[in-house]
Amino acid sequence: MGRIHSLGRRVREQTFSRFVVAGAINTGLTYLIYVLLALILPYPVAYTVTTVLGIFLSYLLNARFVFRRKLSLVTAVQYPAVYVTQYLLGLLLLYLLVEKARMSKFLAPILIVAATVPVTFLLSRLVIARDRSTPASSTAEESHSSE
């Protein structure tokens, strides 16, 4: 029983590690786009545009790389619900940090990421990984922890 528990823990740790890597890629790209857009658009508009772009990239990275699942229309349609939660939380925090705390509109989104990552991981796992019948074909499975 201890070996099964240990294997389960390693799988969760590997999944979360991949989630962090995918999130870093997504965050870096969308932050760069946000900065460029914030130079010419109001910051809430720039944040909204980059959030929408980030959802598409996030679904692709999380389904294929993090949870190793095939892309499916069902999960693709459900996945934006994860980001409705993240977006609303992020927009509220952005307002509070920029307008109330007088933080730079360029720095605030970086701090927002730290606040929203745990919520996003749990909801992403719920949507993408709950259907265990759709694993990606012939990918290196998490159970090969010696690789």
Side-chain angles (χ1 to χ4, degrees):
M1 198 63 137
R3 293 180 86 183
I4 292 172
H5 179 69
S6 177
L7 177 61
R9 189 178 70 239
R10 279 197 311 263
V11 167
R12 284 189 304 275
E13 288 169 357
Q14 290 173 357
T15 301
F16 188 75
S17 295
R18 288 193 305 269
F19 181 80
V20 170
V21 169
I25 291 167
N26 190 8
T27 300
L29 288 173
T30 56
Y31 179 70
L32 176 63
I33 295 167
Y34 170 81
V35 168
L36 295 173
L37 291 177
L39 294 172
I40 58 172
L41 298 171
Y43 70 86
V45 174
Y47 185 77
T48 301
V49 169
T50 55
T51 297
V52 171
L53 292 173
I55 291 169
F56 291 111
L57 180 57
S58 179
Y59 174 69
L60 190 105
L61 291 171
N62 283 319
R64 297 297 295 151
F65 174 68
V66 175
F67 300 109
R68 297 184 174 171
R69 298 284 181 246
K70 292 180 182 177
L71 300 178
S72 83
L73 184 58
V74 172
T75 57
V77 168
Q78 293 172 345
Y79 194 72
V82 170
Y83 281 89
V84 168
T85 303
Q86 182 198 35
Y87 172 76
L88 293 174
L89 177 60
L91 194 58
L92 173 64
L93 292 172
L94 184 66
Y95 169 77
L96 293 173
L97 292 172
V98 173
E99 298 298 330
K100 301 299 182 190
R102 301 288 183 215
M103 182 178 286
S104 163
K105 66 184 180 183
F106 300 112
L107 180 60
I110 295 170
L111 296 179
I112 290 168
V113 170
T116 59
V117 164
V119 172
T120 306
F121 175 75
L122 293 172
L123 293 175
S124 295
R125 185 174 65 183
L126 178 68
V127 171
I128 295 172
R130 75 169 171 225
D131 182 5
R132 303 300 290 176
S133 66
T134 60
S137 60
S138 67
T139 60
E141 292 301 319
E142 295 166 339
S143 62
H144 293 101
S145 61
S146 62
E147 294 178 2

